[in-house]
Amino acid sequence: MSRWEPNARGRLEQAALELYRERGFDQATVAEIAERAGLTERTFFRYFADKREVLFWGQGALTELYVGAIAAAPDSAAPVDAVAAALEAAAPVFQERRELGRQRQSVIAANPGLQERELLKRASLASAMADALRKRGVTEPAASLAAEVGVIAFKTAYARWLSDPDQQDLSRLIRESLGELEVMTAGRD
Amino acid sequence: MSRWEPNARGRLEQAALELYRERGFDQATVAEIAERAGLTERTFFRYFADKREVLFWGQGALTELYVGAIAAAPDSAAPVDAVAAALEAAAPVFQERRELGRQRQSVIAANPGLQERELLKRASLASAMADALRKRGVTEPAASLAAEVGVIAFKTAYARWLSDPDQQDLSRLIRESLGELEVMTAGRD
């Protein structure tokens, strides 16, 4: 039984991100992460199943947040508006963690295996949102298309937001990306 | 030196898809595939680096086709129209291989590792199309958004086309998916 450690998850996450960037994801060990955080390996494994999980642990909560927001959208909301509401509902979570987000992206960008994992997580997020839309009575292919549109709008907005130091408002960038998608697809047959 | 075998690639591909479906991708061996095709393992490895490559060997040619068609689109073409032209240019390749395409999808759907690989291939296709658009002077984020829109329109159209026995025209379904994306994103702020 180990004693309670204040903010153990946050300290482990920060230590892991530092080490992944200094030494590369594959080289950094759980022992080093725990040591840098001033905690034990045992404590690490209480929070994370493995090294990779440090980068992706938020996925479950994020999926629930999206699915909940889609379910809670007004009956009159069009599919893509329900998705937009979900993305905006989650924006504060990212706003609060901008510096961690930036470090996380640089670790993922340096490692093909992590990129692959991120694609998979993104696909499963799109699929959960499409499910939530179908529960609202949206038919296919509209449900899948709206979910995929949401995912690419978010991805684009998030990358812009991370890379622009003056940019404060992720929600506004999400709306802008959706607006660009509208202009882009307008006027086709 | 082995002698020339007529349509060795096609025979190996057909034998592999049959075995992947009968026994599961992980269980089927190259020796079995070669035997069923009436060829040697050595011939297998002349065409495919490994078992997985049987499912993804067309990726390189497809990327070249897309990139070439985007480069060849009229100067006046909007980004998403250049992408649409590329997707339609490649449609006959899929039309000719519908039954193989259907078998291939069922193998991939049964195996998470193959799904992951397919996501990666799709992401690299989107990234090659975005590159081709930037070479036409399209700026970001328009280039990436147009490429991603193309990929999801194609994915949706292709799934519909494979699952509907009466559906003959993949190009028409691609245009329909792009049209649905237009309707879907229209009228947002």
Side-chain angles (χ1 to χ4, degrees):
Chain A
M1 299 293 106
S2 62
R3 65 199 169 76
W4 180 79
E5 296 281 358
N7 189 26
R9 183 195 290 274
R11 285 157 63 191
L12 288 163
E13 187 175 22
Q14 187 57 61
L17 287 170
E18 282 171 24
L19 280 160
Y20 296 166
R21 294 170 76 209
E22 287 168 24
R23 315 205 39 218
F25 174 79
D26 289 329
Q27 283 71 47
T29 67
V30 169
E32 291 170 315
I33 296 167
E35 192 192 343
R36 180 163 303 191
L39 295 165
T40 62
E41 283 190 65
R42 188 180 163 145
T43 303
F44 179 95
F45 288 115
R46 203 177 314 135
Y47 290 96
F48 305 109
D50 55 35
K51 274 189 338 181
R52 207 159 61 163
E53 204 54 27
V54 177
L55 301 163
F56 298 105
W57 65 273
Q59 173 85 2
L62 194 60
T63 304
E64 275 180 40
L65 210 161
Y66 285 159
V67 166
I70 289 173
D75 286 351
S76 61
V80 86
D81 292 314
V83 169
L87 299 175
E88 293 189 40
V93 178
F94 295 97
Q95 299 264 171
E96 278 165 24
R97 293 169 51 86
R98 181 167 175 165
E99 190 45 40
L100 286 176
R102 202 194 303 270
Q103 291 171 16
R104 177 181 175 279
Q105 282 311 118
S106 79
V107 171
I108 291 174
N111 188 300
L114 296 175
Q115 285 161 41
E116 203 158 322
R117 167 53 57 119
E118 184 161 69
L119 290 172
L120 205 64
K121 293 278 185 183
R122 203 176 282 152
S124 98
L125 220 44
S127 143
M129 290 201 284
D131 267 350
L133 288 170
R134 283 189 294 268
K135 287 202 181 112
R136 289 170 60 85
V138 180
T139 53
E140 283 300 335
S144 293
L145 285 172
E148 301 267 12
V149 159
V151 167
I152 67 177
F154 179 82
K155 186 179 81 167
T156 307
Y158 186 66
R160 257 196 276 185
W161 177 74
L162 275 191
S163 66
D164 179 356
D166 298 330
Q167 190 50 255
Q168 294 302 314
D169 191 353
L170 178 58
S171 280
R172 192 174 60 74
L173 289 176
I174 293 170
R175 284 193 299 274
E176 270 183 31
S177 288
L178 285 166
E180 277 153 21
L181 284 166
E182 175 186 354
V183 171
M184 178 162 287
T185 55
R188 292 199 40 80
D189 297 333
Chain B
M1 300 292 108
S2 62
R3 66 199 168 78
W4 179 79
E5 296 282 357
N7 190 24
R9 184 195 287 276
R11 284 158 60 190
L12 288 162
E13 188 176 22
Q14 187 56 61
L17 286 170
E18 283 171 22
L19 279 160
Y20 296 165
R21 295 170 76 208
E22 287 169 22
R23 315 205 38 217
F25 175 79
D26 289 329
Q27 282 70 47
T29 67
V30 169
E32 292 170 314
I33 295 167
E35 191 192 342
R36 182 165 301 193
L39 297 164
T40 63
E41 282 191 65
R42 188 180 163 145
T43 303
F44 179 95
F45 288 115
R46 203 177 312 135
Y47 291 95
F48 306 108
D50 55 34
K51 274 189 336 184
R52 207 160 59 164
E53 205 52 28
V54 177
L55 300 163
F56 297 106
W57 64 273
Q59 173 86 2
L62 194 59
T63 304
E64 276 181 39
L65 209 161
Y66 285 159
V67 166
I70 289 174
D75 286 352
S76 61
V80 86
D81 292 314
V83 169
L87 299 176
E88 292 189 41
V93 178
F94 294 97
Q95 299 264 169
E96 278 165 23
R97 294 168 51 84
R98 179 168 177 167
E99 190 46 39
L100 286 176
R102 200 195 303 268
Q103 290 171 16
R104 177 181 175 278
Q105 283 311 118
S106 79
V107 172
I108 292 174
N111 187 303
L114 296 175
Q115 285 161 39
E116 204 159 320
R117 166 54 56 118
E118 184 161 69
L119 289 172
L120 205 66
K121 293 280 184 180
R122 202 177 281 153
S124 97
L125 220 45
S127 143
M129 290 201 283
D131 267 351
L133 288 170
R134 284 190 294 270
K135 287 201 180 112
R136 290 170 59 87
V138 180
T139 52
E140 282 300 334
S144 293
L145 284 173
E148 301 266 12
V149 159
V151 167
I152 67 177
F154 180 80
K155 187 180 82 166
T156 307
Y158 186 66
R160 255 196 279 183
W161 177 73
L162 275 191
S163 66
D164 179 357
D166 298 330
Q167 190 50 256
Q168 293 301 315
D169 192 352
L170 177 57
S171 281
R172 192 173 61 76
L173 289 176
I174 293 170
R175 286 192 297 275
E176 270 184 30
S177 288
L178 285 166
E180 276 154 21
L181 284 165
E182 175 187 355
V183 171
M184 178 163 287
T185 56
R188 294 198 39 82
D189 299 332

